[in-house]
Amino acid sequence: MAKDTTLTKESNKIDFSTFKKEILEDYKLACESRETSLLGRREVLTGKAKFGIFGDGKEVAQIAMAKQFRNGDFRSGYYRDQTFMMAIGQLNVKQYFAGLYAETDLSLEPMSGGRQMGGHFATHSMDENGEWKNLMEQKNSSSDISPTAGQMSRLLGLAQASKVYREHKELHALEKFAKFTNKGNEVAFGTIGDASTSEGQFWEAMNAAGVLQVPMVMSIWDDGYGISVSRKHQTIKDSISEALSGFQRTEEQPGFEILITKGWDYPHLISTYEKAVQIAREEHVPVLIHVQEVTQPQGHSTSGSHERYKSEDRLQWEKEFDPILKFKEFILTTVGEDGKPFATNEEIEAIEKEAKKTVREQQKAAWKEFRTNIESDWTTAIQLIKNVANESPNATFINKEAETLSKAMDPDRKEIFSTVNKVLRLVIGESGNARKQLIDWLQSKTIENRERYGSHLYANSKKSIGNITPLAPEYDGEEEFVDARIILRDNFDHLFSKHPEIITFGEDTGKIGGVNQSMEGMQEKYGEIRVSDTGIRENTIIGQGIGMALRGLRPIAEIQYLDYLLYAIQVVSDDLATLHYRTKGRQIAPLIIRTRGHRLEGIWHSGSPMGMIINAARGIYVCVPRNATQAAGMYTTLLESDEPALVIEPLNGYRIKEQKPSNLGEYRIPLGKVEIVQEGTDLTLVSYGSTFNLAAEAVKELEKAGISVELIDVQTLLPFDLDHEISESLKKTNRLMIVDEDVSSGASAFILDQVLVKQKGYYLLDSQPVTVSAQDHRPAYGSDGDYFSKPSIDDIYREAYQLMRETNPEKYPGLLD
Ligand SMILES: Cc1ncc(C[n+]2csc(CCOP(=O)(O)OP(=O)(O)O)c2C)c(N)n1
Ligand SMILES: [Mg+2]
C-alpha cells in the first residue's frame, strides 16, 4: 500500500534524487549497525570477546537524532548508541569490533583504548599533546560510563555551558573560546534507557535542566525493560512522559517541551527530532523525546537471553515492530515524486547483503590488527622459554609449558604472562643466560603493559600541576590580620578578574556569597551567570561542573559541607576521577570542587571521611589546606593547571585571623608537596586540615616538656608527598605520629602505607608508629561531643608524650602513671 509522506523541512529543501539517496544511505547504515550487533554477539559467544552490549532495535531513532547533531554539539549517552556514533562519523564498524576485543591502541580503538567494555563511546577533545582540539570543527561525545543514569549529571553541565557562553558576553570577543562555542548555539544531546530513568540522577538533572532552561535534548529509548525488569516496576504510570507531564512548559511557565514518537517510525522520528532540536537550539529550552515502542532484538546483553523474561506475545511484537523491518516497509511502500517507491525489493536486498559483507570484512580486519601485537609477544615468549629449557635440568617440564603455550588458541596476554611466570618458578635459583633473558623480557613487558592498561590517571600535559611554578605568599609588612574568609574572597576576586572563564555555583553561593561569606559581593561584581545559586542537588552540581569543564570553562562547583559530598561521591568517583584515565587523556574536565569540612558541630557538620574520599577519587587532586592562605594559593595553582581537584577548606577557620598576603591571586601553593611548618628532632608529626592547627598547639605544649617535634602539613592527600619529605624527616627523628580526624584506619592507614611502605619509612623507625584519629562513631554534637569524638590537643599531647616516655622514662616521667 502506497503512503504519502511529509518528511523533514530540510529534506524537502533538497532535490528528490538526493533525498531518496539519503533515505537509502540511512537504511544502509541501519543495516550495518544491525549486522555489527548480530556478529558482535557471535564474537562474544564464540569466546573472542568477553562481553557485548549492543544497539540493535535503536538504529532508526538514532539516525534521526544524528541528522540534527551539528559540529560543536555534545552527546552524553549510554551503551546503546552505536548507530548514532556511526551516523555522526565518529565510529566505524572496525573500531566497534576493536572495542569489543579490547584493542589497546587508541588509534585503532579511539573510544577508550580498550579500557572500557565495548559500546562505551567518546570523541577526542584533546590532541596527543594534551592540547584542546577545535570542538567546533567536530561532533563531540563525552565519554560514557556504565553506571545507569551516570550520564545525566554531566549532560546538565554540557547544556549549561551553552547558556553560559550565550550570556557571558565577555567571552564572545575572546579568540580562545572560538574553538568551544558559537555564542552558545550548541545543543547537548542526552540518551538514556527507560529503566534508568528510575535513578535519582535522572530526576535531579531533569528538574535542574527545567529550572536552568538549558539547551538539552533528552531521548529516552523506551524498550520496556531494564534487563529483565519491565517498565511497570520502574516508572509511575508505566510511562516516563506521563510521569513527567508536569514538566511540560506552558504559555505562562517555562519548563520542558515533551515530545512523543515511536522507535520504528522513520518519518515521524525525523520530524520530531527536527522540531525538538530547533526549540532547544534557538530558544534554549530543554526538550524530552520519549521514544516509545523500541525493540531489543537480541535482548539485553551477551550475559543472557530475553526469552527468559519476555512473553511470547512480546517477542512476537518485537519481531513485527523491528525498526529496520518497518523502515524497509516504508521504503518499499512510499511513492516518491517520480511515482515509484523509494526502492525495489532487489535494491533493498542488495543493500542488506552488502552490509553483511562489509561488517564481516571489518570485523576480520579488526581481529587481525588486535592479534598482531599479542602474537609477536606470543612467539617471542615461546622462543625464550625454549631457550630456558635448553639450559635447565628441568627441561622436560619447561618444554611442556612451551608446547602448551604454542598450541593455545589465540592466547591473550594473561595466558602468555602466566606461562612465563610459571616457567620462572621452575628455574628458581638457576643462573643461565636464557633465564636472565626471560626475566628481562618479563620485566620490560610488565612495565609496557602497566602503562598500556594504567597510564593517564593524572594529566600529563604542559598544564599538569607539576609544571606550574610555585610562588610563595608575600607580606610587605603593612598587611593587616583579617578574618580568613576575606583572604579567600579577595583572592577569588583577583582570580575572577584574571580568568573570565571561571564561574562558580552552589547552594547559597550567589546572592549571599556562600554560607561562610567567602564569595561575598562577587555576584554583584561578576554577575549572576558567573556567580550563582543552585538547588540542593549535590550530584548535579558536580555534573554541571564536569560538563562545563568539558567545554572549556573553568567551573568551581561548591558543595556546602564536606558531609554532603557523599551525595555526589558517585559522580566524582565514577565520572570525574576516571575521565582522563578512561579516555587515555583525550578528554579532560578541570573542575575544582570547593567544599569545607572537618570539624564544626554534630554528626553531619563535622565529618571527615577522608579515607573514603581518597579511595574513591584516585585520579583527582585532593587538597586539605590548614588555613585560608594555603587554600587560596591552591586555587591559584589549580586554575593555572588543567587537572580536576577537590579542595576542602577548614570549616572552623573562616573567622580566625590570618595575615593577608600582598600578592593575592598571584602566589601559588605547590600541590603534592608537604610543608615542614616547624623543624624538630624527636618526633615527626604529620597532619593536615583543621586538625593540623590542634597539632600545632600540642607541639607548643610538648616543647615545654622538652620534646622537639618536626611538624609537617601534608597539604594534599592526593597526590601524597611526591618528594618523600616525610621519610627524610624520619631519618632525623626516627619516630612517626599521624594525626587526623577521620575514623581509625581511614586516611591514617593511607598515610601509614605511603610513609612506611612506599617511602620505606619502616626502616627508619626506632619506635612503633602512632596514629591519633577520631573515634569510630560519628562525632557527637556540642563542644563536649567534639572533645570526646575527635582528637584533641590533650590527646595529641598525651600520645606524643607517651611515645617519648617509652624511649626514655627517666627523661620523661609519668604523665598518667
Ligand atoms: C547504577 C547501576 N545499577 C545497575 C547496573 C546494571 N545494569 C546495566 S544496564 C541495566 C538496565 C538498564 O535498562 P535501561 O535503562 O532500560 O536501558 P536498556 O539496556 O534497556 O537500553 C542495569 C540494571 C548498572 N550498570 N548501573
Ligand atoms: Mg530499557
Side-chain angles (χ1 to χ4, degrees), residues 53-54 58 78-80 146-149 192-197 199 221-229 234 296 300 574:
I53 190 153
F54 305 103
K58 279 93 184 163
Y78 79 118
Y79 50 78
R80 297 282 180 219
S146 299
T148 47
I192 194 167
D194 51 311
S196 301
T197 64
E199 294 279 13
W221 311 140
D222 186 351
D223 58 16
Y225 288 86
I227 311 184
S228 67
V229 181
Q234 300 281 358
Q296 207 184 56
H300 177 75
D574 286 334

PDB file of all heavy atoms in Angstrom, residues 53-54 58 78-80 146-149 192-197 199 221-229 234 296 300 574, ligand 1:
ATOM      1  N   ILE A  53      27.310  -5.592  24.501  1.00  0.00           N
ATOM      2  CA  ILE A  53      26.027  -4.938  24.755  1.00  0.00           C
ATOM      3  C   ILE A  53      25.798  -4.023  23.556  1.00  0.00           C
ATOM      4  O   ILE A  53      26.643  -3.210  23.223  1.00  0.00           O
ATOM      5  CB  ILE A  53      26.041  -4.228  26.121  1.00  0.00           C
ATOM      6  CG1 ILE A  53      24.654  -3.761  26.509  1.00  0.00           C
ATOM      7  CG2 ILE A  53      27.051  -3.093  26.196  1.00  0.00           C
ATOM      8  CD1 ILE A  53      24.446  -3.653  28.004  1.00  0.00           C
ATOM      9  N   PHE A  54      24.697  -4.229  22.855  1.00  0.00           N
ATOM     10  CA  PHE A  54      24.578  -3.654  21.512  1.00  0.00           C
ATOM     11  C   PHE A  54      23.372  -2.729  21.365  1.00  0.00           C
ATOM     12  O   PHE A  54      22.481  -2.736  22.203  1.00  0.00           O
ATOM     13  CB  PHE A  54      24.497  -4.795  20.492  1.00  0.00           C
ATOM     14  CG  PHE A  54      25.658  -5.753  20.608  1.00  0.00           C
ATOM     15  CD1 PHE A  54      25.502  -6.994  21.233  1.00  0.00           C
ATOM     16  CD2 PHE A  54      26.905  -5.394  20.135  1.00  0.00           C
ATOM     17  CE1 PHE A  54      26.571  -7.860  21.367  1.00  0.00           C
ATOM     18  CE2 PHE A  54      27.987  -6.261  20.257  1.00  0.00           C
ATOM     19  CZ  PHE A  54      27.825  -7.499  20.882  1.00  0.00           C
ATOM     20  N   LYS A  58      17.556   0.124  18.202  1.00  0.00           N
ATOM     21  CA  LYS A  58      17.542   1.585  18.402  1.00  0.00           C
ATOM     22  C   LYS A  58      18.102   2.305  17.179  1.00  0.00           C
ATOM     23  O   LYS A  58      18.361   3.515  17.229  1.00  0.00           O
ATOM     24  CB  LYS A  58      18.398   1.937  19.626  1.00  0.00           C
ATOM     25  CG  LYS A  58      17.708   1.753  20.971  1.00  0.00           C
ATOM     26  CD  LYS A  58      17.951   0.393  21.576  1.00  0.00           C
ATOM     27  CE  LYS A  58      17.191   0.195  22.851  1.00  0.00           C
ATOM     28  NZ  LYS A  58      17.093  -1.213  23.244  1.00  0.00           N
ATOM     29  N   TYR A  78      24.607   6.533  26.517  1.00  0.00           N
ATOM     30  CA  TYR A  78      24.966   5.245  27.104  1.00  0.00           C
ATOM     31  C   TYR A  78      25.181   4.197  26.017  1.00  0.00           C
ATOM     32  O   TYR A  78      25.148   4.507  24.814  1.00  0.00           O
ATOM     33  CB  TYR A  78      23.946   4.846  28.170  1.00  0.00           C
ATOM     34  CG  TYR A  78      22.639   4.275  27.670  1.00  0.00           C
ATOM     35  CD1 TYR A  78      22.265   2.973  28.004  1.00  0.00           C
ATOM     36  CD2 TYR A  78      21.771   5.027  26.890  1.00  0.00           C
ATOM     37  CE1 TYR A  78      21.067   2.440  27.566  1.00  0.00           C
ATOM     38  CE2 TYR A  78      20.569   4.498  26.453  1.00  0.00           C
ATOM     39  CZ  TYR A  78      20.216   3.199  26.786  1.00  0.00           C
ATOM     40  OH  TYR A  78      19.042   2.675  26.357  1.00  0.00           O
ATOM     41  N   TYR A  79      25.370   2.964  26.481  1.00  0.00           N
ATOM     42  CA  TYR A  79      25.908   1.906  25.625  1.00  0.00           C
ATOM     43  C   TYR A  79      25.079   1.486  24.419  1.00  0.00           C
ATOM     44  O   TYR A  79      25.524   0.643  23.650  1.00  0.00           O
ATOM     45  CB  TYR A  79      26.185   0.661  26.491  1.00  0.00           C
ATOM     46  CG  TYR A  79      25.000   0.279  27.368  1.00  0.00           C
ATOM     47  CD1 TYR A  79      23.895  -0.384  26.862  1.00  0.00           C
ATOM     48  CD2 TYR A  79      24.986   0.647  28.706  1.00  0.00           C
ATOM     49  CE1 TYR A  79      22.802  -0.687  27.655  1.00  0.00           C
ATOM     50  CE2 TYR A  79      23.908   0.351  29.514  1.00  0.00           C
ATOM     51  CZ  TYR A  79      22.820  -0.321  28.985  1.00  0.00           C
ATOM     52  OH  TYR A  79      21.750  -0.605  29.785  1.00  0.00           O
ATOM     53  N   ARG A  80      23.873   2.057  24.254  1.00  0.00           N
ATOM     54  CA  ARG A  80      23.073   1.610  23.104  1.00  0.00           C
ATOM     55  C   ARG A  80      23.328   2.438  21.840  1.00  0.00           C
ATOM     56  O   ARG A  80      22.677   2.219  20.825  1.00  0.00           O
ATOM     57  CB  ARG A  80      21.583   1.707  23.433  1.00  0.00           C
ATOM     58  CG  ARG A  80      21.108   0.826  24.560  1.00  0.00           C
ATOM     59  CD  ARG A  80      20.932  -0.617  24.149  1.00  0.00           C
ATOM     60  NE  ARG A  80      20.463  -1.406  25.275  1.00  0.00           N
ATOM     61  CZ  ARG A  80      20.881  -2.637  25.535  1.00  0.00           C
ATOM     62  NH1 ARG A  80      21.769  -3.228  24.768  1.00  0.00           N
ATOM     63  NH2 ARG A  80      20.414  -3.287  26.577  1.00  0.00           N
ATOM     64  N   SER A 146      29.446   3.220  32.676  1.00  0.00           N
ATOM     65  CA  SER A 146      28.451   2.147  32.782  1.00  0.00           C
ATOM     66  C   SER A 146      27.344   2.376  33.810  1.00  0.00           C
ATOM     67  O   SER A 146      26.249   1.859  33.626  1.00  0.00           O
ATOM     68  CB  SER A 146      29.129   0.816  33.121  1.00  0.00           C
ATOM     69  OG  SER A 146      30.024   0.448  32.118  1.00  0.00           O
ATOM     70  N   PRO A 147      27.611   3.074  34.922  1.00  0.00           N
ATOM     71  CA  PRO A 147      26.526   3.203  35.909  1.00  0.00           C
ATOM     72  C   PRO A 147      25.296   3.867  35.295  1.00  0.00           C
ATOM     73  O   PRO A 147      25.389   4.953  34.720  1.00  0.00           O
ATOM     74  CB  PRO A 147      27.145   4.080  36.998  1.00  0.00           C
ATOM     75  CG  PRO A 147      28.615   3.925  36.829  1.00  0.00           C
ATOM     76  CD  PRO A 147      28.838   3.739  35.361  1.00  0.00           C
ATOM     77  N   THR A 148      24.164   3.199  35.416  1.00  0.00           N
ATOM     78  CA  THR A 148      22.950   3.681  34.770  1.00  0.00           C
ATOM     79  C   THR A 148      22.597   5.083  35.272  1.00  0.00           C
ATOM     80  O   THR A 148      22.633   5.337  36.475  1.00  0.00           O
ATOM     81  CB  THR A 148      21.771   2.730  35.061  1.00  0.00           C
ATOM     82  OG1 THR A 148      21.778   2.445  36.465  1.00  0.00           O
ATOM     83  CG2 THR A 148      21.899   1.440  34.292  1.00  0.00           C
ATOM     84  N   ALA A 149      22.280   5.973  34.355  1.00  0.00           N
ATOM     85  CA  ALA A 149      21.976   7.389  34.617  1.00  0.00           C
ATOM     86  C   ALA A 149      23.208   8.209  35.004  1.00  0.00           C
ATOM     87  O   ALA A 149      23.096   9.399  35.289  1.00  0.00           O
ATOM     88  CB  ALA A 149      20.867   7.574  35.659  1.00  0.00           C
ATOM     89  N   ILE A 192      19.111   7.877  27.300  1.00  0.00           N
ATOM     90  CA  ILE A 192      19.006   7.007  28.489  1.00  0.00           C
ATOM     91  C   ILE A 192      17.981   5.916  28.182  1.00  0.00           C
ATOM     92  O   ILE A 192      17.088   6.117  27.347  1.00  0.00           O
ATOM     93  CB  ILE A 192      18.608   7.845  29.740  1.00  0.00           C
ATOM     94  CG1 ILE A 192      18.828   7.052  31.027  1.00  0.00           C
ATOM     95  CG2 ILE A 192      17.150   8.319  29.651  1.00  0.00           C
ATOM     96  CD1 ILE A 192      18.765   7.897  32.292  1.00  0.00           C
ATOM     97  N   GLY A 193      18.116   4.783  28.870  1.00  0.00           N
ATOM     98  CA  GLY A 193      17.119   3.726  28.739  1.00  0.00           C
ATOM     99  C   GLY A 193      15.925   3.997  29.628  1.00  0.00           C
ATOM    100  O   GLY A 193      16.018   4.751  30.603  1.00  0.00           O
ATOM    101  N   ASP A 194      14.810   3.402  29.312  1.00  0.00           N
ATOM    102  CA  ASP A 194      13.598   3.641  30.096  1.00  0.00           C
ATOM    103  C   ASP A 194      13.786   3.301  31.576  1.00  0.00           C
ATOM    104  O   ASP A 194      13.374   4.033  32.460  1.00  0.00           O
ATOM    105  CB  ASP A 194      12.424   2.840  29.519  1.00  0.00           C
ATOM    106  CG  ASP A 194      12.764   1.372  29.334  1.00  0.00           C
ATOM    107  OD1 ASP A 194      13.828   1.088  28.747  1.00  0.00           O
ATOM    108  OD2 ASP A 194      11.980   0.507  29.768  1.00  0.00           O
ATOM    109  N   ALA A 195      14.454   2.180  31.839  1.00  0.00           N
ATOM    110  CA  ALA A 195      14.581   1.750  33.232  1.00  0.00           C
ATOM    111  C   ALA A 195      15.502   2.668  34.035  1.00  0.00           C
ATOM    112  O   ALA A 195      15.260   2.943  35.213  1.00  0.00           O
ATOM    113  CB  ALA A 195      15.101   0.318  33.289  1.00  0.00           C
ATOM    114  N   SER A 196      16.525   3.178  33.377  1.00  0.00           N
ATOM    115  CA  SER A 196      17.482   4.023  34.103  1.00  0.00           C
ATOM    116  C   SER A 196      16.869   5.345  34.532  1.00  0.00           C
ATOM    117  O   SER A 196      17.457   6.056  35.356  1.00  0.00           O
ATOM    118  CB  SER A 196      18.719   4.278  33.240  1.00  0.00           C
ATOM    119  OG  SER A 196      19.322   3.055  32.910  1.00  0.00           O
ATOM    120  N   THR A 197      15.707   5.683  33.989  1.00  0.00           N
ATOM    121  CA  THR A 197      15.070   6.921  34.455  1.00  0.00           C
ATOM    122  C   THR A 197      14.587   6.787  35.899  1.00  0.00           C
ATOM    123  O   THR A 197      14.177   7.773  36.504  1.00  0.00           O
ATOM    124  CB  THR A 197      13.868   7.315  33.562  1.00  0.00           C
ATOM    125  OG1 THR A 197      12.863   6.305  33.672  1.00  0.00           O
ATOM    126  CG2 THR A 197      14.271   7.495  32.117  1.00  0.00           C
ATOM    127  N   GLU A 199      16.541   6.185  38.275  1.00  0.00           N
ATOM    128  CA  GLU A 199      17.640   6.646  39.136  1.00  0.00           C
ATOM    129  C   GLU A 199      17.434   8.105  39.566  1.00  0.00           C
ATOM    130  O   GLU A 199      16.920   8.925  38.797  1.00  0.00           O
ATOM    131  CB  GLU A 199      18.987   6.555  38.392  1.00  0.00           C
ATOM    132  CG  GLU A 199      19.441   5.146  38.052  1.00  0.00           C
ATOM    133  CD  GLU A 199      20.101   4.406  39.214  1.00  0.00           C
ATOM    134  OE1 GLU A 199      20.006   4.881  40.367  1.00  0.00           O
ATOM    135  OE2 GLU A 199      20.708   3.348  38.958  1.00  0.00           O
ATOM    136  N   TRP A 221      15.197   5.911  25.173  1.00  0.00           N
ATOM    137  CA  TRP A 221      14.954   4.726  24.340  1.00  0.00           C
ATOM    138  C   TRP A 221      14.121   3.762  25.180  1.00  0.00           C
ATOM    139  O   TRP A 221      14.653   3.062  26.028  1.00  0.00           O
ATOM    140  CB  TRP A 221      16.261   4.039  23.916  1.00  0.00           C
ATOM    141  CG  TRP A 221      17.356   4.892  23.322  1.00  0.00           C
ATOM    142  CD1 TRP A 221      18.693   4.759  23.568  1.00  0.00           C
ATOM    143  CD2 TRP A 221      17.240   5.944  22.343  1.00  0.00           C
ATOM    144  NE1 TRP A 221      19.413   5.670  22.819  1.00  0.00           N
ATOM    145  CE2 TRP A 221      18.539   6.406  22.057  1.00  0.00           C
ATOM    146  CE3 TRP A 221      16.169   6.546  21.691  1.00  0.00           C
ATOM    147  CZ2 TRP A 221      18.801   7.434  21.148  1.00  0.00           C
ATOM    148  CZ3 TRP A 221      16.424   7.585  20.793  1.00  0.00           C
ATOM    149  CH2 TRP A 221      17.719   8.001  20.518  1.00  0.00           C
ATOM    150  N   ASP A 222      12.828   3.766  24.928  1.00  0.00           N
ATOM    151  CA  ASP A 222      11.926   3.002  25.782  1.00  0.00           C
ATOM    152  C   ASP A 222      11.637   1.634  25.160  1.00  0.00           C
ATOM    153  O   ASP A 222      10.710   1.472  24.362  1.00  0.00           O
ATOM    154  CB  ASP A 222      10.626   3.804  25.980  1.00  0.00           C
ATOM    155  CG  ASP A 222       9.694   3.142  26.979  1.00  0.00           C
ATOM    156  OD1 ASP A 222       9.969   1.988  27.385  1.00  0.00           O
ATOM    157  OD2 ASP A 222       8.690   3.771  27.353  1.00  0.00           O
ATOM    158  N   ASP A 223      12.449   0.657  25.576  1.00  0.00           N
ATOM    159  CA  ASP A 223      12.230  -0.708  25.080  1.00  0.00           C
ATOM    160  C   ASP A 223      11.491  -1.551  26.109  1.00  0.00           C
ATOM    161  O   ASP A 223      11.410  -2.780  26.009  1.00  0.00           O
ATOM    162  CB  ASP A 223      13.557  -1.361  24.669  1.00  0.00           C
ATOM    163  CG  ASP A 223      14.558  -1.420  25.795  1.00  0.00           C
ATOM    164  OD1 ASP A 223      14.157  -1.248  26.970  1.00  0.00           O
ATOM    165  OD2 ASP A 223      15.750  -1.650  25.528  1.00  0.00           O
ATOM    166  N   GLY A 224      10.985  -0.877  27.144  1.00  0.00           N
ATOM    167  CA  GLY A 224      10.101  -1.556  28.090  1.00  0.00           C
ATOM    168  C   GLY A 224      10.793  -2.387  29.157  1.00  0.00           C
ATOM    169  O   GLY A 224      10.135  -2.913  30.056  1.00  0.00           O
ATOM    170  N   TYR A 225      12.099  -2.472  29.084  1.00  0.00           N
ATOM    171  CA  TYR A 225      12.810  -3.333  30.040  1.00  0.00           C
ATOM    172  C   TYR A 225      14.121  -2.711  30.503  1.00  0.00           C
ATOM    173  O   TYR A 225      14.796  -2.010  29.743  1.00  0.00           O
ATOM    174  CB  TYR A 225      13.146  -4.703  29.408  1.00  0.00           C
ATOM    175  CG  TYR A 225      11.934  -5.567  29.239  1.00  0.00           C
ATOM    176  CD1 TYR A 225      11.136  -5.445  28.108  1.00  0.00           C
ATOM    177  CD2 TYR A 225      11.563  -6.480  30.236  1.00  0.00           C
ATOM    178  CE1 TYR A 225       9.994  -6.217  27.959  1.00  0.00           C
ATOM    179  CE2 TYR A 225      10.426  -7.253  30.096  1.00  0.00           C
ATOM    180  CZ  TYR A 225       9.637  -7.123  28.953  1.00  0.00           C
ATOM    181  OH  TYR A 225       8.509  -7.878  28.817  1.00  0.00           O
ATOM    182  N   GLY A 226      14.491  -3.029  31.743  1.00  0.00           N
ATOM    183  CA  GLY A 226      15.830  -2.794  32.264  1.00  0.00           C
ATOM    184  C   GLY A 226      16.338  -4.176  32.627  1.00  0.00           C
ATOM    185  O   GLY A 226      15.933  -4.755  33.631  1.00  0.00           O
ATOM    186  N   ILE A 227      17.150  -4.752  31.807  1.00  0.00           N
ATOM    187  CA  ILE A 227      17.456  -6.176  31.804  1.00  0.00           C
ATOM    188  C   ILE A 227      16.108  -6.914  31.820  1.00  0.00           C
ATOM    189  O   ILE A 227      15.354  -6.803  30.860  1.00  0.00           O
ATOM    190  CB  ILE A 227      18.450  -6.608  32.907  1.00  0.00           C
ATOM    191  CG1 ILE A 227      19.704  -5.672  32.909  1.00  0.00           C
ATOM    192  CG2 ILE A 227      18.888  -8.063  32.677  1.00  0.00           C
ATOM    193  CD1 ILE A 227      20.794  -6.048  33.884  1.00  0.00           C
ATOM    194  N   SER A 228      15.783  -7.580  32.948  1.00  0.00           N
ATOM    195  CA  SER A 228      14.543  -8.376  32.924  1.00  0.00           C
ATOM    196  C   SER A 228      13.354  -7.661  33.567  1.00  0.00           C
ATOM    197  O   SER A 228      12.239  -8.160  33.536  1.00  0.00           O
ATOM    198  CB  SER A 228      14.781  -9.696  33.665  1.00  0.00           C
ATOM    199  OG  SER A 228      14.985  -9.421  35.038  1.00  0.00           O
ATOM    200  N   VAL A 229      13.629  -6.492  34.158  1.00  0.00           N
ATOM    201  CA  VAL A 229      12.565  -5.843  34.932  1.00  0.00           C
ATOM    202  C   VAL A 229      11.757  -4.919  34.027  1.00  0.00           C
ATOM    203  O   VAL A 229      12.297  -4.005  33.411  1.00  0.00           O
ATOM    204  CB  VAL A 229      13.164  -5.057  36.121  1.00  0.00           C
ATOM    205  CG1 VAL A 229      12.054  -4.408  36.941  1.00  0.00           C
ATOM    206  CG2 VAL A 229      14.008  -5.981  36.993  1.00  0.00           C
ATOM    207  N   GLN A 234       9.260   0.004  37.105  1.00  0.00           N
ATOM    208  CA  GLN A 234      10.251   1.083  37.112  1.00  0.00           C
ATOM    209  C   GLN A 234       9.602   2.453  37.247  1.00  0.00           C
ATOM    210  O   GLN A 234      10.108   3.317  37.952  1.00  0.00           O
ATOM    211  CB  GLN A 234      11.032   1.092  35.777  1.00  0.00           C
ATOM    212  CG  GLN A 234      11.786  -0.176  35.453  1.00  0.00           C
ATOM    213  CD  GLN A 234      13.093  -0.301  36.200  1.00  0.00           C
ATOM    214  OE1 GLN A 234      13.477   0.585  36.955  1.00  0.00           O
ATOM    215  NE2 GLN A 234      13.783  -1.408  36.002  1.00  0.00           N
ATOM    216  N   GLN A 296      14.423  -4.655  21.221  1.00  0.00           N
ATOM    217  CA  GLN A 296      15.723  -5.130  21.694  1.00  0.00           C
ATOM    218  C   GLN A 296      15.888  -6.544  21.111  1.00  0.00           C
ATOM    219  O   GLN A 296      15.764  -7.528  21.839  1.00  0.00           O
ATOM    220  CB  GLN A 296      15.607  -5.182  23.219  1.00  0.00           C
ATOM    221  CG  GLN A 296      16.851  -5.022  24.004  1.00  0.00           C
ATOM    222  CD  GLN A 296      16.546  -5.210  25.488  1.00  0.00           C
ATOM    223  OE1 GLN A 296      16.007  -6.229  25.906  1.00  0.00           O
ATOM    224  NE2 GLN A 296      16.898  -4.221  26.275  1.00  0.00           N
ATOM    225  N   HIS A 300      19.107  -8.059  26.331  1.00  0.00           N
ATOM    226  CA  HIS A 300      19.897  -7.011  26.979  1.00  0.00           C
ATOM    227  C   HIS A 300      21.376  -7.017  26.600  1.00  0.00           C
ATOM    228  O   HIS A 300      21.933  -6.014  26.195  1.00  0.00           O
ATOM    229  CB  HIS A 300      19.749  -7.143  28.503  1.00  0.00           C
ATOM    230  CG  HIS A 300      20.590  -6.156  29.238  1.00  0.00           C
ATOM    231  ND1 HIS A 300      20.253  -4.823  29.329  1.00  0.00           N
ATOM    232  CD2 HIS A 300      21.777  -6.288  29.881  1.00  0.00           C
ATOM    233  CE1 HIS A 300      21.185  -4.181  30.007  1.00  0.00           C
ATOM    234  NE2 HIS A 300      22.122  -5.042  30.346  1.00  0.00           N
ATOM    235  N   ASP A 574      32.856   7.945  39.804  1.00  0.00           N
ATOM    236  CA  ASP A 574      32.600   7.232  38.551  1.00  0.00           C
ATOM    237  C   ASP A 574      32.964   8.053  37.321  1.00  0.00           C
ATOM    238  O   ASP A 574      33.419   7.500  36.321  1.00  0.00           O
ATOM    239  CB  ASP A 574      31.103   6.880  38.426  1.00  0.00           C
ATOM    240  CG  ASP A 574      30.696   5.748  39.348  1.00  0.00           C
ATOM    241  OD1 ASP A 574      31.560   4.932  39.704  1.00  0.00           O
ATOM    242  OD2 ASP A 574      29.501   5.684  39.711  1.00  0.00           O
TER     243      ASP A 574
HETATM  244  C1  LIG B   1      23.979   2.021  38.850  1.00  0.00           C
HETATM  245  C2  LIG B   1      23.816   0.760  38.069  1.00  0.00           C
HETATM  246  N1  LIG B   1      22.979  -0.190  38.510  1.00  0.00           N
HETATM  247  C3  LIG B   1      22.833  -1.331  37.817  1.00  0.00           C
HETATM  248  C4  LIG B   1      23.516  -1.529  36.636  1.00  0.00           C
HETATM  249  C5  LIG B   1      23.351  -2.829  35.865  1.00  0.00           C
HETATM  250  N2  LIG B   1      22.560  -2.552  34.653  1.00  0.00           N
HETATM  251  C6  LIG B   1      23.160  -2.335  33.471  1.00  0.00           C
HETATM  252  S1  LIG B   1      22.078  -1.965  32.291  1.00  0.00           S
HETATM  253  C7  LIG B   1      20.770  -2.140  33.302  1.00  0.00           C
HETATM  254  C8  LIG B   1      19.384  -1.941  32.765  1.00  0.00           C
HETATM  255  C9  LIG B   1      19.208  -0.642  32.090  1.00  0.00           C
HETATM  256  O1  LIG B   1      17.965  -0.626  31.440  1.00  0.00           O
HETATM  257  P1  LIG B   1      17.520   0.609  30.583  1.00  0.00           P
HETATM  258  O2  LIG B   1      17.888   1.858  31.251  1.00  0.00           O
HETATM  259  O3  LIG B   1      16.100   0.439  30.233  1.00  0.00           O
HETATM  260  O4  LIG B   1      18.437   0.514  29.289  1.00  0.00           O
HETATM  261  P2  LIG B   1      18.414  -0.619  28.168  1.00  0.00           P
HETATM  262  O5  LIG B   1      19.567  -1.518  28.478  1.00  0.00           O
HETATM  263  O6  LIG B   1      17.112  -1.328  28.249  1.00  0.00           O
HETATM  264  O7  LIG B   1      18.607   0.112  26.902  1.00  0.00           O
HETATM  265  C10 LIG B   1      21.186  -2.478  34.575  1.00  0.00           C
HETATM  266  C11 LIG B   1      20.289  -2.717  35.715  1.00  0.00           C
HETATM  267  C12 LIG B   1      24.372  -0.505  36.223  1.00  0.00           C
HETATM  268  N3  LIG B   1      25.088  -0.586  35.111  1.00  0.00           N
HETATM  269  N4  LIG B   1      24.488   0.628  36.933  1.00  0.00           N
END
